[in-house]
């Protein structure tokens, strides 16, 4: 049997002792060793009955051996066989400076995440294929997901085609526990997440929300015992960690709930690939919990749902030490409550402003009615504040603003963006990023010439309209202090790079 690097490979284990409650009563691990001596350890997961599985993605080609208890085997791994970014370049990890994402081989990456929180318990495979094709075409590369419906008082049918329905991941979640795991739920989720990954969309896995939740009906994320929360985090790493993933162990809380540290430490201890782990905060919180924790890779603020641009929140976080990557993890949802709120180019301006303020991990987008996965316009049972009038999930997918956010990583693709930082000294401009001697990026919402004052800024330039990605000008400045030329009157992104 032969597989290629970074492709998920599944083994079924047959020698695990039978216990009364496999999910809660036993831990199972497998060891993988490359012919070079490299060793990786992966947790196995219970998949119903007597079935245990372990999933593994080999980071190196060659001969691999594996063992778990008395079971063992070996298999060959070939070089990358696909242009899929996560198979060709490996999973994401944090950059050397901790400010941005890179693939395992060092290729730079910028997150462009959509917010489809309720997809795991509401969507069908057919719907996810339609959604993923749209997001992939627009340039998105990640999706924020609540892995289970978190509201303890939510009720409704389990048929995903009925109004107010939701599938159930844990039967005892309404009592504030995570012990009675529903295997069929996660088997279904396997298919949904594989569709996302096949479309180049990284699942951003939030275990159990700490904030508003789905309908605001008492989330379990602040109630479940930390040990149960940590065990579930290990299960997510075991089941989904051999494919691209980000672990969002805190969701919409203060960041200081005891479940978050327990979950973060567990992910750090069990994920052999070092995929990013971090916290997503509620709007009215200082976003610096666990800043010095070894397990923490990133901090994501959110700026509320009022349609205000607040990039200073991101700038404040960028200054926190020790260094962690930052982003605005939840700008105002497009068309939330009122048509026109945070709509259209508002989303593009928001994305570029937050990136240049120091949110160099990437940008995030959301739409009213999409994040709840409303089955159709007017589905009952949801907060009117967070829904878009006249829209279900399918209509919300087509909101204009998503196109602008998805374009951002496309415009910067192939550039040396790793660990770029805000730069207010190289030019007279309000929003700029630089990698000294290699890259200088300016965003202006109304264009115009850019006066340059740093002789190290590369002379070659490209000027892009961020609304459609078109290149409106290219050239090479004759001298280091020559300005970047643009007549003004429209949004512009100016890129100066050593290889232009």
């Amino acid at each position: 049997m032969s597989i290629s690097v970074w492709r998920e490979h599944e083994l079924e284990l047959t020698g695990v002792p039978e216990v009364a409650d496999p999910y809660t009563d036993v831990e199972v691990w497998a060891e993988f060793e490359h012919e070079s001596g490299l060793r990786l350890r992966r947790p196995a997961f219970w998949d119903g009955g007597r079935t245990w599985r372990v999933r593994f993605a080999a980071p190196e080609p060659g001969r691999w051996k594996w063992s778990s208890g008395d079971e063992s085997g070996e298999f060959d791994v070939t070089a990358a066989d696909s242009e899929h970014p996560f198979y060709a370049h490996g999973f994401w990890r944090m950059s050397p400076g901790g400010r941005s994402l890179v693939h395992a081989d060092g290729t730079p990456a910028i997150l462009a995440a959509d917010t489809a929180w309720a997809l795991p318990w509401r969507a069908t495979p057919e719907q996810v294929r339609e959604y993923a094709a749209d997001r992939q075409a627009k340039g998105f590369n990640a999706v924020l997901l609540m892995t289970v419906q978190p509201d303890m008082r939510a009720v409704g049918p389990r048929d995903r085609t009925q109004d107010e329905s939701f599938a159930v991941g844990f039967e005892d979640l309404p009592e504030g526990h995570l012990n009675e795991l529903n295997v069929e739920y996660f088997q279904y989720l396997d298919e949904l997440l594989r569709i996302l990954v096949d479309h180049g969309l990284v699942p951003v896995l939030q275990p159990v929300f700490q904030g508003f939740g789905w309908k605001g009906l008492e989330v379990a994320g602040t109630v479940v015992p930390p040990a149960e929360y940590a065990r579930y985090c290990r299960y997510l790493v075991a089941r989904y960690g051999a494919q691209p993933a980000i672990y969002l162990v805190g969701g919409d809380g203060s960041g200081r709930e005891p479940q978050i540290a327990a979950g973060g430490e567990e992910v750090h201890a069990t994920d052999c690939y070092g995929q990013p782990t971090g916290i997503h905060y509620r709007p009215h919180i200082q976003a610096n919990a666990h800043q010095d924790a070894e397990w923490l890779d990133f901090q994501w603020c959110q700026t509320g749902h009022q349609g205000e641009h607040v990039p200073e929140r991101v700038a404040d976080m960028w200054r926190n030490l020790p260094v962690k990557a930052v982003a605005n993890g939840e700008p105002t949802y497009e068309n939330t409550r009122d048509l026109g709120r945070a709509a259209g180019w508002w989303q593009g301006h928001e994305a570029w402003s937050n990136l240049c303020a120091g949110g160099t991990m990437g940008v995030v987008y959301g739409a009213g009615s999409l994040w709840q996965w409303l089955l159709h316009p007017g589905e009952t049972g949801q907060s009117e504040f967070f829904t878009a009038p006249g829209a279900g999930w399918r209509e919300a997918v087509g909101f204009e603003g998503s196109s602008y956010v998805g374009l951002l990583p496309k415009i910067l693709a192939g550039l040396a963006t790793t660990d770029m930082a805000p730069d207010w000294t190289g030019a007279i401009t309000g929003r700029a990023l630089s990698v000294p001697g290699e890259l200088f990026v300016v965003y202006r919402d109304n264009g115009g010439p850019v006066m340059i004052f740093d002789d190290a800024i590369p002379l070659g330039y490209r000027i892009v309209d961020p609304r459609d990605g078109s290149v409106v000008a290219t050239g090479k400045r004759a001298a280091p202090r020559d300005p970047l030329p643009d007549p003004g009157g429209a949004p512009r992104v100016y890129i100066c790079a050593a290889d232009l």
Side-chain angles (χ1 to χ4, degrees), residues 10 15 41 70 89 213 243 261 270 301 307 373 381 412 415 431 451-452 476 486:
E10 183 177 281
R41 187 171 185 248
D70 295 331
H89 303 292
Q243 61 185 14
T270 56
C301 71
W373 207 266
L412 299 179
L415 299 172
R431 302 177 183 91
M451 299 177 65
I452 301 295
K476 191 169 187 177
D486 184 74

Side-chain angles (χ1 to χ4, degrees), residues 299-303 310 314 326-331 350 354 359 362-364:
Q299 304 272 36
W300 288 358
C301 71
Q302 67 161 302
T303 49
V310 196
V314 175
V326 300
N328 182 359
E330 196 172 355
E350 173 80 349
N354 284 314
V363 295
V364 178

Side-chain angles (χ1 to χ4, degrees), residues 324-344:
K324 305 293 179 182
V326 300
N328 182 359
E330 196 172 355
T332 301
Y333 295 127
E334 187 167 14
N335 291 318
T336 187
R337 190 176 69 179
D338 301 313
L339 290 177
R341 174 173 292 187

Side-chain angles (χ1 to χ4, degrees), residues 138-418:
K138 287 176 176 172
F140 287 92
N141 52 27
V143 187
L144 275 61
L145 304 169
M146 300 184 201
T147 57
V148 293
Q149 194 289 117
D151 291 357
M152 292 187 291
R153 292 195 294 111
V155 294
R158 299 195 182 192
D159 181 348
R160 293 171 183 250
T161 67
Q162 295 186 45
D163 284 10
E164 300 195 44
S165 61
F166 60 94
V168 174
F170 287 89
E171 299 292 346
D172 56 346
L173 186 144
E175 288 77 52
H177 286 282
L178 301 175
N179 296 319
E180 299 176 17
L181 180 136
N182 184 345
V183 169
E184 291 77 14
Y185 174 88
F186 290 96
Q187 291 170 342
Y188 197 99
L189 185 57
D190 285 351
E191 182 176 4
L192 303 185
L193 297 193
R194 287 191 181 115
I195 293 168
L196 295 176
V197 171
D198 286 346
H199 287 81
L201 300 169
V202 176
V204 181
L205 302 172
Q206 207 295 312
V208 188
F209 228 48
Q210 282 82 32
F212 178 80
W214 183 36
K215 296 184 177 184
L217 299 175
E218 296 185 32
V219 289
T222 59
V223 176
V224 298
E228 294 178 19
Y229 194 87
R231 182 175 58 214
Y232 179 44
C233 288
R234 182 171 67 247
Y235 188 84
L236 292 174
V237 171
R239 188 150 201 143
Y240 302 115
Q243 61 185 14
I246 289 177
Y247 301 103
L248 198 61
V249 293
D252 198 33
S254 71
R256 293 172 171 81
E257 296 85 357
Q259 294 84 1
I260 292 175
E265 290 166 0
E266 190 69 22
V267 170
H268 185 74
T270 56
D271 171 30
C272 65
Y273 301 113
Q275 300 202 74
T277 304
I279 302 174
H280 172 295
Y281 293 86
R282 64 171 63 110
H284 54 287
I285 290 297
Q286 190 72 26
N288 61 358
H290 309 290
Q291 188 75 24
D292 60 352
E294 185 178 359
W295 58 263
L296 184 74
D297 296 313
F298 65 85
Q299 304 272 36
W300 288 358
C301 71
Q302 67 161 302
T303 49
H305 302 283
Q306 306 299 325
E308 298 172 314
H309 296 295
V310 196
E312 55 266 34
R313 291 289 302 274
V314 175
D316 283 346
M317 293 166 62
W318 188 86
R319 299 182 185 96
N320 290 337
L321 295 173
V323 166
K324 305 293 179 182
V326 300
N328 182 359
E330 196 172 355
T332 301
Y333 295 127
E334 187 167 14
N335 291 318
T336 187
R337 190 176 69 179
D338 301 313
L339 290 177
R341 174 173 292 187
W345 178 244
W346 187 100
Q347 295 288 340
H349 177 73
E350 173 80 349
W352 285 100
S353 297
N354 284 314
L355 185 82
C356 291
T360 52
M361 184 173 181
V363 295
V364 178
Y365 168 81
S369 296
L370 173 60
W371 75 264
Q372 309 98 321
W373 207 266
L374 261 66
L375 300 187
H376 57 82
E379 183 188 3
T380 59
Q382 296 291 335
S383 166
E384 290 186 5
F385 183 87
F386 287 119
T387 55
W393 75 267
R394 187 173 278 108
E395 291 79 13
V397 164
F399 288 166
E400 177 187 350
S402 62
S403 297
Y404 306 129
V405 181
L407 268 175
L408 188 149
K410 285 186 173 184
I411 291 171
L412 299 179
L415 299 172
T417 56
T418 300

